[in-house]
Amino acid sequence: MRLTITAAFLLFALPASAQQVSGPARAADGDSLDLSGISVRIFGVDAPELAQSCERGGASWACGKQAASKLASLVAGKSVMCEQKDVDDYGRIVATCRAGSIDLGGAMVDAGLAVALPHFSDRYVASEARARATGTGLWAGKFQMPTDYRAEHPRPGRRTPGFSRDAAPARAPVRTPAPAGVYFRNCKEAWAAGAAPLRRGQPGYRPEMDGDGDGIACEPYRGR
């Protein structure tokens, strides 16, 4: 109880750029934690969804569950410290997190069980390149980028009042408008071109990439 009160006090008492929460953590999936009731999304990485499967050696494997299991092993029995970078549209803290000396985002990317999000930070780009080069984890076979998987398998969610998706582009890097007639096969291509997120009516927008039908495709930190 004391831990929960302390975490909640820090959440509301500190400036947005300096908020920290700490304590024992539970892995909700491969890139999300529960710190005594406070939901935290790990900054700069994206892991497969719990229900997501990948391919390795010609066979399917539960990459989403393995990612969650890896994160759970990293935080087991440790006090986790998270420093807030942002808040997503569902009220979750988006933060860099450490378990002792271990950077959790970096450890997940090193294990090949999460991908880097270079449009938010280049912090884990080199780690992803190493995992890709050595065929570690996801890179040992074929997999769908988590953001594309979510677009194809939307789950109902409820926004937290005060945290609108419309505000996200103001916090994200400036995007380059796509030229008329452009076609992106998936969100990965849209992000690589610097055009995402894509709004309804803009070149490159397709309903297939707008998993929740809110008129904004390829959104960062899609609520799950």
Side-chain angles (χ1 to χ4, degrees):
M1 177 61 70
R2 180 180 178 183
L3 173 65
T4 303
I5 293 173
T6 301
F9 174 78
L10 286 171
L11 177 61
F12 291 104
L14 295 174
S17 60
Q19 288 176 7
Q20 293 182 342
V21 290
S22 64
R26 178 184 65 83
D29 55 28
D31 54 31
S32 303
L33 298 168
D34 183 315
L35 271 75
S36 299
I38 298 175
S39 296
V40 179
R41 171 68 158 82
I42 298 176
F43 175 75
V45 305
D46 202 6
E49 296 297 301
L50 275 175
Q52 188 171 345
S53 296
C54 302
E55 182 181 324
R56 185 170 57 191
S60 176
W61 63 289
C63 54
K65 290 182 179 179
Q66 185 164 336
S69 178
K70 174 64 176 179
L71 184 58
S73 71
L74 291 170
V75 302
K78 298 183 176 70
S79 179
V80 174
M81 170 68 76
C82 294
E83 183 173 347
Q84 182 176 350
K85 298 293 186 181
D86 206 343
V87 176
D88 73 6
D89 300 323
Y90 292 84
R92 296 181 302 178
I93 292 175
V94 180
T96 55
C97 298
R98 305 187 72 86
S101 62
I102 299 173
D103 180 320
L104 296 179
M108 291 301 295
V109 176
D110 285 339
L113 292 172
V115 298
L117 295 176
H119 44 284
F120 285 101
S121 171
D122 60 3
R123 184 171 186 165
Y124 305 116
V125 172
S127 294
E128 181 185 294
R130 288 193 296 269
R132 185 195 300 259
T134 55
T136 303
L138 301 170
W139 306 105
K142 298 178 181 179
F143 69 97
Q144 188 175 28
M145 284 292 177
T147 185
D148 294 331
Y149 178 88
R150 290 192 291 274
E152 294 183 8
H153 303 80
R155 296 171 62 181
R158 184 173 61 188
R159 298 187 186 183
T160 301
F163 299 104
S164 169
R165 286 201 179 111
D166 295 335
R171 299 192 299 261
V174 175
R175 303 296 170 200
T176 303
V182 72
Y183 177 86
F184 299 114
R185 289 180 299 173
N186 51 43
C187 288
K188 181 181 178 181
E189 287 191 359
W191 277 113
L198 298 165
R199 295 175 180 273
R200 185 180 291 119
Q202 289 182 332
Y205 172 90
R206 290 189 294 117
E208 294 87 346
M209 296 194 294
D210 185 0
D212 55 9
D214 68 344
I216 307 175
C218 304
E219 299 163 76
Y221 297 117
R222 185 184 302 275
R224 286 173 273 170

